[in-house]
Structures are given as C-alpha cells and as structure tokens.
Amino acid sequence: MPHIPLESTGARDSHKQPPTHQRDGQTTRYTATAIVLHWVLGAAVVGMFFVGLYMSNLPFSLTRLKLFNWHKWAGMCLLALSAVRLIWRLTHVPPVLPTPIATAMPAWQHRAHSATHLALYALFFFVPLVGWAYSSAAGFPIVLFGVLPLPDFVPANKALAALIRPWHEMSAFALMGLAALHAAAALKHQWWDGDGLVGRMLLGRR
C-alpha cells in the first residue's frame, strides 16, 4: 500500500517560510559594524532630542549650562559617528532586501525607503553642523569634553545666531520625525507583515 503523507505539498507550501539571509548569492544582513553604528546613532538621536527639549525649558542655572555643554559634546560625537557610518556605507555594499520582502513592496514603498535613508543621512550631518554654527555665532565656542577647543564654525554674530537657531530646532524635529517614521515602518514589517525584516539589523541572528 503506498504511503500517504499526512500533510500535502500544498499545505506545506502555504506555511510562512523563515526569512532567508541570502538572495542570488548576496547577503541580506548588515555587517556587525553597520548594526552597531545604526543602534548607537539611533539611541544618540533620541537621547539628544529629548535632552534638548528638557534643557531648553530650564531657567538659567548651572544645570542648564552643564546640559548645554554635554549636548554640544554629544553633537560633535554624533557628527564624527555619522562620518564613520557614511564612510562604512560608501565602502561596503549595503545588503539587498530578501526576495519575499522586495517583491511584496510596491514601487512607492521602495522609493520612500530610499528617500528616507537619504534624508536621514543628510540630517545626521546638518543638525550638528547647524548646532555648531549656532553656538559659534552666539559667542559660545565648543570645548570638547572641556579640554579640546574646536574652531568657530562661523564668526560671533548675535543677529546670525538668531537666524540660525530656528534651523537647528526645525531640523532636529525633522530628524526625530524621520527616525520615528523609520522605526514605525520597521515595526510594521516585523509585526504586521511578519517578514522578519528587523532581524537584518540585530546582532547574533543567523
């Protein structure tokens, strides 16, 4: 008597397959360096944004001055890390999207994906550079960690500082908004679509 499988081929094929980390011989996972830079920069952006909101509403005090200095130091570190991440990205081909995800995404989502990443990279540099310019124009040079004086980005000019300050604030909100959009899209893929996209950016996953 022929053996009859308990589960038909069609039933097996209908099960959701685990995400593959290879596509046409190319990896679909990010490198460990890219993953670490991604999460460190993400945490820095969120932390600096909320610290910036908090310190802006403080009355003039020693705490406010300390927070402003720490905020500027963190901004310079963010700028340096952004440069490292950009160099890494330019010298390492980013992984392709897994085939099931790439084929399921409509064209507008592919375009939004690319545009969001480009805008995030631009703001990684724009926000701290404008903050540096504002600090210089306001007449408060940045002394990194209290020991390394940085050159003024622009000459001290109170009128210029007044013009620059809104740009720093608006660009910081734009960066935080794009970061939130990026996180929401990733969570949508992970929990709503169930395609395991977030696993590409987690250490220790195979």
Side-chain angles (χ1 to χ4, degrees):
M1 182 176 179
H3 172 69
I4 300 176
L6 296 178
E7 183 181 25
S8 68
T9 303
R12 287 197 303 271
D13 292 343
S14 65
H15 289 294
K16 184 174 291 185
Q17 298 297 318
T20 179
H21 298 309
Q22 291 288 326
R23 173 181 154 193
D24 299 329
Q26 295 178 288
T27 182
T28 60
R29 279 183 49 79
Y30 285 90
T31 63
T33 301
I35 291 171
V36 170
L37 287 171
H38 172 273
W39 290 111
V40 170
L41 281 170
V45 166
V46 174
M48 289 182 63
F49 178 79
F50 286 105
V51 169
L53 286 181
Y54 172 72
M55 71 185 193
S56 296
N57 294 317
L58 288 177
F60 184 80
S61 63
L62 184 59
T63 298
R64 178 184 167 96
L65 291 176
K66 285 182 178 179
L67 286 176
F68 264 86
N69 278 326
W70 293 344
H71 184 76
K72 289 188 282 188
W73 299 347
M76 295 301 97
C77 292
L78 177 65
L79 185 60
L81 281 173
S82 298
V84 171
R85 185 177 183 183
L86 180 60
I87 292 169
W88 185 264
R89 179 64 180 265
L90 292 175
T91 55
H92 295 75
V93 178
V96 295
L97 282 170
T99 300
I101 301 175
T103 55
M105 287 172 59
W108 71 266
Q109 285 189 12
H110 282 281
R111 290 193 293 269
H113 169 83
S114 299
T116 300
H117 276 81
L118 286 173
L120 282 169
Y121 271 98
L123 287 169
F124 282 151
F125 289 92
F126 186 80
V127 175
L129 285 174
V130 173
W132 187 357
Y134 169 65
S135 186
S136 297
F140 298 105
I142 298 175
V143 182
L144 193 60
F145 305 126
V147 295
L148 180 61
L150 299 183
D152 285 334
F153 200 70
V154 297
N157 185 312
K158 298 298 183 182
L160 179 61
L163 290 174
I164 294 175
R165 180 175 179 175
W167 285 98
H168 183 57
E169 295 173 349
M170 289 186 295
S171 61
F173 273 96
L175 177 56
M176 188 62 196
L178 280 176
L181 179 64
H182 174 71
L187 292 176
K188 181 259 185 187
H189 275 282
Q190 185 71 17
W191 300 111
W192 183 265
D193 299 334
D195 54 26
L197 182 67
V198 173
R200 290 172 13 112
M201 195 55 82
L202 294 177
L203 290 170
R205 298 291 296 271
R206 295 289 184 267

